[in-house]
Amino acid sequence: MTATLRALIVDDEALARSRLRTLLGDCTAPAATVAAEAAHAVQAMDALRRENFDVVLLDIRMPGADGMSLAQAIASLPQPPAVVFVTAHSEHAVQAFELEAVDYLTKPVRLERLQQALQKVERLVQAVKGLQSDLTSEHLVIQDRGRTERVPLTEVLYLKAELKYVTVRTAGKSYILDGSLNELEERYPQFMRIHRNALVARRAVRALEKHFDPEEGEGWALRLNGIDDLLAVSRRQLSAVRDAIAG
């Protein structure tokens, strides 16, 4: 369920804005709050540049730029809110939907009809948030014995170069990735280089401790949250690792 929708009412008639504000106060599924009001297009665009809204409830006939022109301007915003036309004139409905309006309400607006329009807005808001989440959620695509698996980066604790492959380690499993550690470091800044052959997730770093390695002798190793593995830290990367742990 979406949180309370933030609405901008745009209408040159104060009485019409007041009635719409009252109706919005009675909406419950979803609920909506009037975050701002505007009497004309210039005021509306000022509000839209200052704040984020989920929906604009927009009259068509207003002094200056009309609602259709304003809807076009809204569509050009980086993150445009949904537009619901609220007007006494039914003849503009076709043009309104050509502008991708979510709904077209004729005055006097009934509560039930307004609630239906807000439900459409809610579905749109949820769809947009889902898309944004999918775009910002990063994964490694692992090919393993004919099986393709997407491993979220948020689960990866470290990446370690082994011959021609990279070991991808999560708390519960290890995977083999065909790729370059240098390319992974460049692409995913949330991972920190600790050795020529290893990157670790910054969020997973737990402790830096003295460690004796049979091959490299006395040195330092990193302990991560969620696993028992100790990862060697090279002298070259030691200062950067200390800084990461400190801050």
Side-chain angles (χ1 to χ4, degrees):
M1 182 68 71
T2 300
T4 300
L5 297 174
R6 288 172 51 82
L8 167 63
I9 297 176
V10 185
D11 197 307
D12 61 312
E13 296 181 8
L15 192 59
R17 295 198 303 272
S18 176
R19 171 164 172 71
L20 206 45
R21 190 167 58 244
T22 301
L23 283 172
L24 285 168
D26 292 334
C27 290
T28 57
T33 183
V34 180
E37 295 182 18
H40 49 75
V42 174
Q43 278 185 354
M45 287 305 295
D46 285 344
L48 287 159
R49 292 187 186 102
R50 287 195 313 268
E51 302 180 59
N52 292 322
F53 301 93
D54 297 305
V55 58
V56 179
L57 297 165
L58 179 56
D59 190 18
I60 291 181
R61 295 189 182 175
M62 299 182 294
D66 65 8
M68 293 296 175
S69 300
L70 179 55
Q72 288 178 320
I74 290 172
S76 68
L77 294 172
Q79 292 181 303
V83 170
V84 173
F85 283 103
V86 183
T87 176
H89 309 281
S90 60
E91 66 269 21
H92 299 288
V94 172
Q95 187 182 356
F97 287 115
E98 286 175 352
L99 292 171
E100 298 186 352
V102 170
D103 213 334
Y104 190 97
L105 309 182
T106 52
K107 300 175 182 177
V109 178
R110 292 180 293 111
L111 176 60
E112 178 186 1
R113 190 68 186 83
L114 177 59
Q115 189 77 82
Q116 289 173 356
L118 293 182
Q119 287 167 0
K120 293 179 183 178
V121 172
E122 180 184 44
R123 287 194 292 270
L124 179 63
V125 169
Q126 289 174 334
V128 169
K129 285 182 177 177
L131 176 61
Q132 289 172 340
S133 174
D134 190 53
L135 289 173
T136 58
S137 176
E138 294 175 302
H139 298 75
L140 294 177
V141 178
I142 308 289
Q143 305 284 349
D144 183 20
R145 290 175 240 172
R147 170 187 169 90
T148 302
E149 185 169 348
R150 285 165 50 123
V151 179
L153 277 184
T154 53
E155 294 180 11
V156 176
L157 301 175
Y158 70 76
L159 301 159
K160 192 172 183 182
E162 315 268 2
L163 298 175
K164 295 181 180 180
Y165 301 97
V166 174
T167 295
V168 178
R169 184 72 160 92
T170 68
K173 192 173 178 181
S174 290
Y175 304 87
I176 298 297
L177 178 67
D178 186 3
S180 157
L181 206 61
N182 289 337
E183 288 176 5
L184 291 167
E185 180 182 22
E186 205 171 302
R187 186 171 181 183
Y188 304 118
Q190 59 267 54
F191 288 86
M192 170 178 61
R193 173 80 65 168
I194 65 164
H195 196 279
R196 67 180 181 277
N197 69 352
L199 304 173
V200 301
R202 295 174 188 274
R203 59 176 171 74
V205 172
R206 179 177 176 183
L208 179 66
E209 55 190 62
K210 285 267 190 170
H211 176 65
F212 180 81
D213 186 280
E215 292 183 9
E216 300 190 16
E218 188 78 21
W220 293 87
L222 206 57
R223 193 173 291 280
L224 304 180
N225 290 314
I227 53 174
D228 295 328
D229 306 35
L230 273 176
L231 297 173
V233 177
S234 68
R235 290 184 178 86
R236 183 177 180 182
Q237 303 297 334
L238 185 58
S239 176
V241 172
R242 281 186 170 137
D243 289 345
I245 291 175

